[in-house]
């Protein structure tokens, strides 16, 4: 398929304030997943995946445990998911996923991030049809044929495999996340998964250059500064 997957900036923040924001986002998501699907990671696979992702991003154990304990109590805030779509600088396509206890506040915050940065927020479905909801795994390697063979032997469903600059990226249906992950770890125990997540993968990339690069990064920063924003997906590719 020839799609490229751009790894987003590492969640490991440089400043203490930014770290706290990252911890807060993980805490909120773990709380919601545990509250809705149960606090046992062995039976709630979404919770298991989120805990593993949080640990990889160096979220302290006490933050994870506090979120699960809060969910165990059954009370607490009621968060709902909210998704916004639109176009960013350079005619890029963007999907913004949020968890909110106040839809009006979240919409206004996200809308301001769009408006103040020359972007345009759209209606539901504006850009989502140009993305595929997929499991993505990335690790160092250069033999995609061997990886594909291993996954086929384990009867894992794969959409695409790419190899670029000594890095292999495996795309699979999002429902196959754990099956593919288990197949990779079983057949290649020496491999370290640098990326293992469920993401919206763009069908086509939009190249940006010049002033649009700075504008786009400012736009992303504005979205990530919104307390209720959990994930931002886009199809921007910076021109070399």
């Amino acid at each position: 398929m020839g799609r490229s997957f751009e790894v987003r900036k590492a969640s490991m923040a440089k400043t203490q304030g930014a770290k706290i924001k990252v911890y807060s986002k993980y805490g909120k998501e773990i709380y919601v997943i545990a509250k809705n699907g149960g606090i046992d990671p062995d039976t709630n696979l979404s919770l298991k995946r989120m805990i593993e992702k949080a640990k990889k991003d160096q979220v302290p154990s006490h933050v994870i445990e506090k979120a699960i304990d809060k969910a165990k109590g059954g009370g607490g805030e009621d968060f709902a998911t909210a998704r916004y779509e639109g176009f960013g600088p350079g005619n890029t396509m963007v999907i913004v996923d949020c968890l909110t206890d106040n839809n009006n506040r979240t919409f206004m915050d996200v809308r301001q991030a769009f408006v103040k940065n020359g972007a345009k927020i759209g209606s539901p479905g504006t850009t989502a049809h140009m993305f595929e909801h997929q499991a993505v795994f990335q690790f160092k390697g250069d033999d995609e044929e061997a990886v594909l063979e291993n996954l086929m032997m384990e009867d894992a469903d794969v959409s695409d495999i790419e190899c670029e600059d000594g890095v292999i990226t495996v795309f699979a249906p999002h429902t196959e996340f754990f099956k593919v992950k288990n197949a990779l770890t079983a057949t290649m125990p020496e491999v370290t998964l640098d990326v293992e997540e469920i993401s919206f993968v763009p069908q086509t990339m939009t190249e940006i250059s010049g002033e649009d690069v700075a504008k786009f990064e400012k736009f992303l920063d504005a979205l990530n500064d919104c307390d209720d924003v959990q994930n931002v997906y886009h199809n921007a590719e910076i021109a070399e």
Side-chain angles (χ1 to χ4, degrees), residues 12 17 24-25 42 64 72 78 80 105 128 142 167 170 185 237:
M12 183 61 184
S24 172
K25 287 183 178 184
D42 290 332
I64 297 169
K72 195 188 300 182
D78 283 321
R105 179 197 67 224
D142 53 20
V167 174
V170 176
T185 53
E237 188 170 46

Side-chain angles (χ1 to χ4, degrees), residues 225-239:
D225 279 343
C226 298
D227 288 339
D228 299 328
V229 170
Q230 294 294 118
N231 289 295
V232 181
Y233 308 98
H234 62 78
N235 75 331
E237 188 170 46
I238 297 172

Side-chain angles (χ1 to χ4, degrees), residues 30-31 34 39 62-75:
I30 289 168
Y31 163 71
I39 62 170
H62 69 83
V63 173
I64 297 169
E65 290 163 5
K66 184 179 178 182
I68 294 173
D69 284 343
K70 190 176 173 185
K72 195 188 300 182

Side-chain angles (χ1 to χ4, degrees), residues 28-42:
K28 188 190 291 186
E29 195 151 1
I30 289 168
Y31 163 71
V32 170
I33 292 170
K35 186 177 180 182
N36 293 334
I39 62 170
D40 184 357
D42 290 332

Side-chain angles (χ1 to χ4, degrees), residues 35-228:
K35 186 177 180 182
N36 293 334
I39 62 170
D40 184 357
D42 290 332
T43 56
N44 185 348
L45 295 182
S46 294
L47 178 61
K48 182 179 180 180
R49 181 177 69 83
M50 192 52 58
I51 290 172
E52 288 174 352
K53 188 178 177 185
K55 286 180 177 177
K56 184 163 281 191
D57 279 345
Q58 300 186 19
V59 176
S61 295
H62 69 83
V63 173
I64 297 169
E65 290 163 5
K66 184 179 178 182
I68 294 173
D69 284 343
K70 190 176 173 185
K72 195 188 300 182
E77 304 97 328
D78 283 321
F79 290 104
T81 59
R83 177 170 295 155
Y84 304 101
E85 303 171 38
F87 297 92
N91 206 34
T92 52
M93 292 184 289
V94 183
I95 297 175
V96 184
D97 273 352
C98 305
L99 282 175
T100 178
D101 57 358
N102 184 323
N103 276 307
N104 290 334
R105 179 197 67 224
T106 305
F107 174 73
M108 290 304 296
D109 286 350
V110 172
R111 184 176 177 276
Q112 283 294 96
F114 272 83
V115 170
K116 288 183 175 180
N117 291 283
K120 185 179 179 182
I121 195 166
S123 55
T126 300
T127 60
H129 66 286
M130 294 300 293
F131 290 76
E132 294 178 8
H133 201 201
Q134 294 198 314
V136 182
F137 302 89
Q138 204 165 63
F139 49 91
K140 291 179 178 62
D142 53 20
D143 190 349
E144 67 264 45
E145 292 294 329
V147 174
L148 179 59
E149 222 170 273
N150 287 340
L151 290 170
M152 288 175 68
M153 277 170 40
E154 295 291 316
D155 199 26
D157 187 6
V158 177
S159 307
D160 196 13
I161 296 182
E162 294 177 353
C163 182
E164 189 176 350
D165 298 329
V167 174
I168 290 177
T169 307
V170 176
F171 299 93
H174 67 93
T175 51
E176 295 286 294
F177 178 88
F178 281 104
K179 189 168 186 179
V180 173
K181 180 180 176 177
N182 290 339
L184 288 171
T185 53
T187 59
M188 296 178 291
E190 76 286 353
V191 162
T192 298
L193 296 175
D194 299 314
V195 173
E196 44 175 313
E197 62 182 44
I198 292 176
S199 179
F200 280 98
V201 179
Q203 295 176 16
T204 58
M205 304 299 291
T206 297
E207 192 174 277
I208 56 173
S209 59
E211 292 181 0
D212 282 339
V213 175
K215 288 178 183 175
F216 187 79
E217 289 185 346
K218 186 182 175 192
F219 171 54
L220 277 189
D221 286 342
L223 286 172
N224 286 317
D225 279 343
C226 298
D227 288 339
D228 299 328

